[in-house]
Amino acid sequence: MADSLVIVESPAKAKTIKKYLGSKYIVKASMGHVRDLPKSQTGVDVEQGFAPKYITIRGKGDVLKELRDARKKVKNVYLAADPDREGEAIAWHLAHSLNIDESQACRVVFNEITKTAIKEAFKHPRKINMDLVNAQQTRRILDRLVGYNISPLLWKKVKKGLSAGRVQSVTVKLIIDREKEINAFIPEEYWTITAELNSNNEIFEAKFHGMGKDKVELKNEEQVKELLASIEGKPYIVQDIKRKERKRNPAPPFITSSLQQEAARKLNFRAAKTMMIAQQLYEGVELGKEGSVGLITYMRTDSTRISVTAQEEAKEYITSLYGEEYALKEARNYSKKENAQDAHEAVRPSLVQKDPASIKAFLSRDQFKLYKLIWERFIASQMASAVLDTVSADILSGEAVFRANGSQIKFPGFMKVYVEGTDDGAKEEVGMLPPLEIEQQLDVNTINPRQHFTQPPPRYSEARLVKTLEELGIGRPSTYAPTIETIQKRGYVRLEEKRFVPTELGEIINEIMEEFFPEIINPEFTAKMEDDLDHIEEGKTYWSQVLDEFYGPFKTRLDTAEKYMQEVEIRDEVSDIQCEKCGKFMVYKMGRFGKFLACSGFPECRNTLPIVKEIGVDCPKCGGKIVERKSKKNRLFYGCSNYPQCDLVSWDKPIPRSCPKCNEMLVEKKGAKGKGPKVICTKCDYEEESN
């Protein structure tokens, strides 16, 4: 007979935990939060010390009834929500809803869902940590005060459906400021000169470095011509050779932000998708006869710390699989971030022995990809450093110095398993120079001068944006994904070629915020607020004091905005396309998935059309034009302009020529990791490398 009730957030987590606890425990799921602030009002009594008014979330009545009924049958209740601020708040709300005494040791936390971790956690239940609860409650109240006071102003002065928030407004500002930098950027000319040299019939390249001991930057064509004239006919002599052995260390195991960044780079996952799949891996996946198994440790963390047990297991695994030389002789400790809470370990596999290949059959495609990324990153972080032999040679022609660099992997170490990606896809050049000797004269094949122009800073990709938010201390690991989702849903930014671009609406809202609420969109102010929340969690600051310090100046700003904010009219841009139903001209509107065309005769005429972009390819089925389209999930695909009469569709971009083997449609398909795209036929096995 069961004598204890355990409450977690999700059925998947409940199923995994039940397997380890046995028949004496009933395990139920609360399905997330059961109480929250009301949607119909601010729900915060500012005059009474910012007292929140919590109500049962609509639809959770039946869940609470089931939990109350289960509670009547047992002696003990354990609240086992996730081990973070939000999980602590869920536990506190459950305690209130189920009349559980907060002074009881009813809270159980664990960083991984394995038999050992679960059994150990239930040996040490504790009281609900009110500092953690208050930190989460303060964030919720702050966001409610900002959102429910500024948003109605935007509705009234700009248009309905808008919102403003502490973190989202700063994020939009970052994207807009970057766009301003790009627009204001003035390119500067510069040149490079590459010499293709020959040493005993082995070809290699050396780049112009400078004159004598001085590094020289070539700014214009005149400089280049003068330099080339000065070395014309001069021999190329090896002046200096430097050989070094260089160690390269692995990247640390994942924290939340680095997991989101690397999944974006290597897997093309959005931050929200990464966190959703990571949650599934943490809570448990069915592994055949083993049942539900939690595969990774908790995925919301800012710590690279690894437990001694996990380090020892990794060392044993690496030694058995790769050999002793690949394992660490002493544990490697990674540096701690300045503002890291360090509450949990890094994101790592719960069970090192479950390598991705061994459980691939039980995982979805996306689960496998993310688990493989986490597993490989962790294993690599616990492996020996790679050793590279590097050579640098200075080659003299007249007074001009050309420099050639080469490197070769002497010992792969961690690189045998995993190498961290980069935002721009840059790769380290690996390749040794031919044998060279001091005073050796080299043959020159060609001299290639090339003109370049400096490039503006790139627009933010999702990975780069997450990295910037983390560096500036804006938000915390759990806030990045929902923030990015929100600013897109509101139509403040859009994705173009996987880069964020501000919309006209986003720029208007940002201007209003800059004028009336400059603190809200100030990255330093927002970062300080995050520090204040950390201090509440640590018990150093009282939560209502933080709210009081914020609300006074904010209320003054709010009163000023109410009085002086002007109405903004967003006029629809008229197109040259006539409505096929009533003949009036269509106008451009902004919707959830970007711009679309709507009849200017609305509401009498409700005709709408998608904005299509032709790609210069004729449909092979009906002769229509192939255009870019977007799916319901905002994913780009290609279809015929005569849809629905013609059903041609392709996820890969068609190109304007036919297959030379079967005359069917050719498409450009992304290449494998590290390789360029390929052109393939949609019918036969023809393929070619894309230019």
Side-chain angles (χ1 to χ4, degrees):
M1 188 74 177
D3 59 11
S4 297
L5 169 65
V6 180
I7 305 175
V8 297
E9 300 100 308
S10 75
K13 190 174 176 182
K15 190 173 183 180
T16 311
I17 291 171
K18 173 63 179 171
K19 185 179 75 169
Y20 299 130
L21 290 178
S23 60
K24 290 189 176 181
Y25 293 84
I26 299 171
V27 186
K28 297 279 186 181
S30 70
M31 312 301 288
H33 282 276
V34 293
R35 295 198 312 169
D36 196 6
L37 301 173
K39 289 185 176 181
S40 58
Q41 55 185 273
T42 306
V44 179
D45 192 337
V46 175
E47 302 300 325
Q48 297 298 318
F50 302 95
K53 175 188 174 184
Y54 291 116
I55 61 169
T56 299
I57 296 171
R58 181 176 293 180
K60 288 299 178 77
D62 290 343
V63 173
L64 281 173
K65 183 180 183 305
E66 184 181 343
L67 294 176
R68 286 175 182 136
D69 290 344
R71 195 205 162 185
K72 293 173 185 175
K73 301 173 184 176
V74 297
K75 293 179 182 178
N76 307 307
V77 180
Y78 296 106
L79 305 172
D82 285 349
D84 57 11
R85 289 176 186 168
E86 190 165 4
E88 205 72 17
I90 289 173
W92 180 67
H93 286 303
L94 282 166
H96 272 259
S97 299
L98 302 176
N99 293 318
I100 297 170
D101 186 354
E102 288 177 35
S103 64
Q104 288 182 2
C106 61
R107 180 79 169 110
V108 175
V109 292
F110 35 82
N111 191 48
E112 60 185 67
I113 304 179
T114 59
K115 186 173 184 177
T116 304
I118 297 298
K119 292 281 189 183
E120 187 63 26
F122 274 85
K123 289 178 184 176
H124 307 285
R126 60 165 172 79
K127 297 177 185 178
I128 291 173
N129 185 329
M130 287 308 299
D131 290 332
L132 278 172
V133 173
N134 287 331
Q136 179 64 23
Q137 183 170 244
T138 306
R139 179 188 291 282
R140 189 76 185 94
I141 293 171
L142 276 169
D143 291 343
R144 180 56 68 99
L145 290 173
V146 172
Y148 272 51
N149 281 293
I150 299 180
S151 297
L153 264 177
L154 299 178
W155 282 48
K156 186 163 63 175
K157 303 293 185 178
V158 186
K159 72 174 217 178
K160 288 185 177 181
L162 302 180
S163 70
R166 285 186 317 111
V167 179
Q168 75 177 54
S169 297
V170 183
T171 308
V172 172
K173 177 177 167 55
L174 288 174
I175 293 166
I176 290 173
D177 286 349
R178 176 55 57 89
E179 198 70 16
K180 288 177 180 176
E181 284 183 68
I182 293 168
N183 293 334
F185 182 80
I186 299 172
E188 293 182 9
E189 179 184 11
Y190 71 98
W191 287 70
T192 58
I193 301 175
T194 304
E196 189 179 275
L197 304 172
N198 186 327
S199 173
N200 299 317
N201 294 321
E202 290 191 60
I203 308 297
F204 67 100
E205 290 185 345
K207 291 187 176 181
F208 172 72
H209 178 72
M211 304 296 287
K213 293 182 179 180
D214 300 324
K215 183 175 172 61
V216 175
E217 293 182 355
L218 301 172
K219 297 289 188 182
N220 52 55
E221 190 174 8
E222 288 71 27
Q223 275 184 287
V224 173
K225 286 180 177 178
E226 187 179 325
L227 175 64
L228 292 176
S230 74
I231 63 174
E232 188 174 358
K234 301 272 176 74
Y236 287 76
I237 309 292
V238 178
Q239 181 191 39
D240 188 27
I241 300 172
K242 291 189 177 84
R243 293 183 173 87
K244 289 182 182 178
E245 187 178 270
R246 181 168 66 88
K247 280 191 174 183
R248 181 173 172 184
N249 294 323
F254 283 129
I255 60 175
T256 304
S257 58
S258 59
L259 174 62
Q260 292 175 4
Q261 291 167 54
E262 193 75 338
R265 294 184 196 113
K266 290 195 169 184
L267 307 179
N268 199 27
F269 283 5
R270 303 292 307 279
K273 180 176 181 177
T274 298
M275 296 310 290
M276 177 188 73
I277 297 168
Q279 184 86 35
Q280 294 167 4
L281 296 174
Y282 166 70
E283 291 183 345
V285 178
E286 290 288 334
L287 299 185
K289 293 178 181 178
E290 281 190 77
S292 186
V293 177
L295 293 174
I296 65 169
T297 53
Y298 194 54
M299 62 283 156
R300 291 188 178 91
T301 178
D302 57 8
S303 173
T304 55
R305 178 169 50 82
I306 295 294
S307 71
V308 173
T309 302
Q311 288 174 336
E312 289 171 351
E313 287 177 359
K315 183 176 182 178
E316 186 179 324
Y317 182 89
I318 292 162
T319 302
S320 65
L321 195 65
Y322 301 108
E324 250 182 70
E325 67 274 25
Y326 283 89
L328 291 172
K329 290 179 174 58
E330 291 184 14
R332 181 186 285 119
N333 294 312
Y334 293 94
S335 58
K336 179 182 170 183
K337 268 175 44 188
E338 186 179 342
N339 61 346
Q341 295 172 324
D342 202 36
H344 312 298
E345 281 189 70
V347 186
R348 63 167 175 81
S350 304
L351 304 160
V352 171
Q353 297 79 9
K354 293 200 179 299
D355 64 278
S358 69
I359 59 173
K360 183 176 182 180
F362 303 106
L363 305 179
S364 70
R365 184 178 64 175
D366 289 340
Q367 285 174 340
F368 172 74
K369 285 180 179 178
L370 192 65
Y371 180 68
K372 185 171 183 284
L373 192 73
I374 294 167
W375 188 90
E376 289 179 347
R377 173 85 164 219
F378 170 68
I379 291 294
S381 77
Q382 302 303 301
M383 291 177 74
S385 302
V387 181
L388 285 77
D389 279 334
T390 63
V391 178
S392 175
D394 283 355
I395 298 151
L396 201 62
S397 179
E399 292 186 14
V401 177
F402 287 77
R403 181 165 290 173
N405 294 301
S407 66
Q408 189 174 48
I409 298 172
K410 183 177 181 180
F411 172 65
F414 74 91
M415 295 174 73
K416 197 174 184 74
V417 174
Y418 174 91
V419 178
E420 186 178 27
T422 59
D423 285 328
D424 55 8
K427 290 185 177 180
E428 184 174 351
E429 291 184 21
V430 177
M432 285 301 284
L433 299 178
L436 299 172
E437 295 178 6
I438 302 292
E439 301 297 333
Q440 179 184 350
Q441 182 169 330
L442 305 168
D443 295 327
V444 58
N445 287 2
T446 58
I447 300 290
N448 299 314
R450 186 173 294 175
Q451 183 186 38
H452 308 272
F453 290 93
T454 54
Q455 297 297 309
R459 286 171 171 162
Y460 286 108
S461 63
E462 190 156 322
R464 197 182 291 268
L465 184 58
V466 167
K467 186 177 182 180
T468 303
L469 292 172
E470 181 191 24
E471 288 172 347
L472 293 174
I474 298 168
R476 282 297 180 261
S478 60
T479 66
Y480 301 142
T483 296
I484 291 169
E485 290 290 302
T486 299
I487 62 177
Q488 289 178 89
K489 285 180 180 177
R490 296 286 182 261
Y492 298 157
V493 302
R494 66 179 184 274
L495 273 177
E496 283 186 8
E497 297 178 349
K498 299 180 184 176
R499 296 290 187 273
F500 288 108
V501 182
T503 63
E504 180 188 1
L505 179 60
E507 289 173 347
I508 289 170
I509 298 303
N510 186 63
E511 285 179 15
I512 291 171
M513 295 295 290
E514 281 186 328
E515 181 178 357
F516 293 102
F517 303 99
E519 293 87 358
I520 299 295
I521 59 170
N522 183 336
E524 292 180 6
F525 178 84
T526 308
K528 180 189 176 299
M529 190 62 69
E530 293 295 342
D531 289 340
D532 288 342
L533 294 175
D534 290 346
H535 293 154
I536 294 169
E537 176 178 334
E538 293 159 5
K540 296 177 181 177
T541 305
Y542 194 62
W543 66 277
S544 62
Q545 180 186 338
V546 171
L547 290 168
D548 195 49
E549 289 174 0
F550 165 79
Y551 190 72
F554 174 70
K555 183 65 168 66
T556 302
R557 293 279 189 189
L558 199 63
D559 293 341
T560 302
E562 285 273 10
K563 189 174 181 181
Y564 295 108
M565 189 185 292
Q566 300 293 312
E567 287 191 22
V568 178
E569 183 182 359
I570 302 177
R571 294 184 178 179
D572 295 323
E573 182 186 349
V574 181
S575 75
D576 58 359
I577 300 170
Q578 286 185 288
C579 176
E580 59 198 17
K581 293 187 177 179
C582 71
K584 292 182 179 178
F585 282 103
M586 308 285 278
V587 295
Y588 292 101
K589 294 274 190 182
M590 177 60 72
R592 182 178 174 185
F593 299 116
K595 281 188 173 182
F596 65 96
L597 287 166
C599 182
S600 59
F602 180 87
E604 289 78 18
C605 179
R606 295 176 175 268
N607 187 29
T608 62
L609 291 172
I611 297 172
V612 295
K613 177 182 174 183
E614 293 184 6
I615 63 169
V617 180
D618 293 335
C619 174
K621 292 184 77 171
C622 71
K625 299 294 182 185
I626 294 181
V627 297
E628 288 185 358
R629 295 190 183 278
K630 286 193 176 179
S631 69
K632 289 182 179 179
K633 293 187 177 179
N634 210 24
R635 184 180 170 190
L636 187 69
F637 70 97
Y638 302 89
C640 181
S641 58
N642 291 330
Y643 177 83
Q645 288 76 25
C646 179
D647 62 356
L648 180 122
V649 70
S650 173
W651 291 113
D652 302 309
K653 187 176 182 179
I655 65 172
R657 55 190 173 89
S658 301
C659 174
K661 284 181 72 174
C662 67
N663 208 37
E664 290 291 338
M665 186 171 75
L666 291 175
V667 296
E668 192 174 71
K669 192 173 187 67
K670 289 180 182 177
K673 195 183 298 181
K675 297 183 179 179
K678 286 185 175 181
V679 171
I680 64 167
C681 179
T682 53
K683 291 290 182 184
C684 72
D685 60 356
Y686 176 79
E687 69 174 51
E688 62 185 59
E689 297 295 328
S690 178
N691 294 325

